[in-house]
Amino acid sequence: MTRHVIREYGVSSSALSNWVRKYAQVQVDNNTVLTAQQIKALQRRNAELEEENLILKKPL
């Protein structure tokens, strides 16, 4: 199947692999499906919020 897609659309195998990795969906619970891109965005946001919490917890 992969070779067929590569030939049909004229993309490299590494480009196809990157695309699949980026846009593959992951089911996190019964009602939620996320792409790898969405998970990375959530991880970045979580890191930002954790940093903000550390700053706010510091005594004045």
Side-chain angles (χ1 to χ4, degrees):
M1 177 69 173
T2 302
R3 289 182 184 181
H4 173 73
V5 172
I6 290 170
R7 270 185 265 135
E8 184 173 337
Y9 294 100
V11 297
S12 67
S13 60
S14 62
L16 181 60
S17 294
N18 288 337
W19 183 85
V20 168
R21 222 177 298 117
K22 186 174 182 179
Y23 294 104
Q25 295 182 341
V26 176
Q27 185 167 355
V28 291
D29 63 29
N30 288 338
N31 300 321
T32 307
V33 176
L34 299 171
T35 65
Q37 190 174 24
Q38 290 171 315
I39 292 170
K40 284 184 181 184
L42 288 170
Q43 289 172 328
R44 278 193 301 274
R45 181 66 178 141
N46 188 45
E48 290 170 359
L49 292 171
E50 286 177 352
E51 187 176 339
E52 217 173 276
N53 274 338
L54 287 174
I55 292 169
L56 292 172
K57 285 180 181 180
K58 287 183 180 178
L60 297 175

